[in-house]
Amino acid sequence: MIDAYALSHFGFNLPVALVGVIDLILILGIIYFHTSIVLYNQKRKIKSISEGFANIFKGEEPVREEK
């Protein structure tokens, strides 16, 4: 696909090694962005879970009025 794009826009075929390097860079970029999104979502999920447990175990007991 990259070679066809270069052929249609520039009028010549790219060397096979260059196409492989471009493919590798694109794949690594996709993996990096996917990993960063997944890690961000996990951190957010862990934070919300820990806040939920903190609220549960906070020890907020209802105030009893003395008679």
Side-chain angles (χ1 to χ4, degrees):
M1 189 163 132
I2 295 169
D3 192 37
Y5 179 81
L7 181 62
S8 67
H9 281 77
F10 306 120
F12 60 89
N13 288 328
L14 294 174
V16 176
L18 181 62
V19 172
V21 169
I22 293 171
D23 285 342
L24 183 63
I25 290 171
L26 290 174
I27 290 169
L28 291 175
I30 291 169
I31 290 171
Y32 173 77
F33 285 120
H34 178 266
T35 305
S36 64
I37 290 169
V38 168
L39 289 176
Y40 173 76
N41 287 336
Q42 285 179 346
K43 286 179 186 176
R44 210 174 77 192
K45 183 178 178 182
I46 290 171
K47 183 179 177 184
S48 69
I49 290 172
S50 64
E51 287 176 355
F53 280 129
N55 287 336
I56 290 171
F57 297 116
K58 190 185 268 187
E60 291 185 14
E61 297 179 11
V63 178
R64 295 181 184 172
E65 294 181 12
E66 295 183 17
K67 294 182 180 180

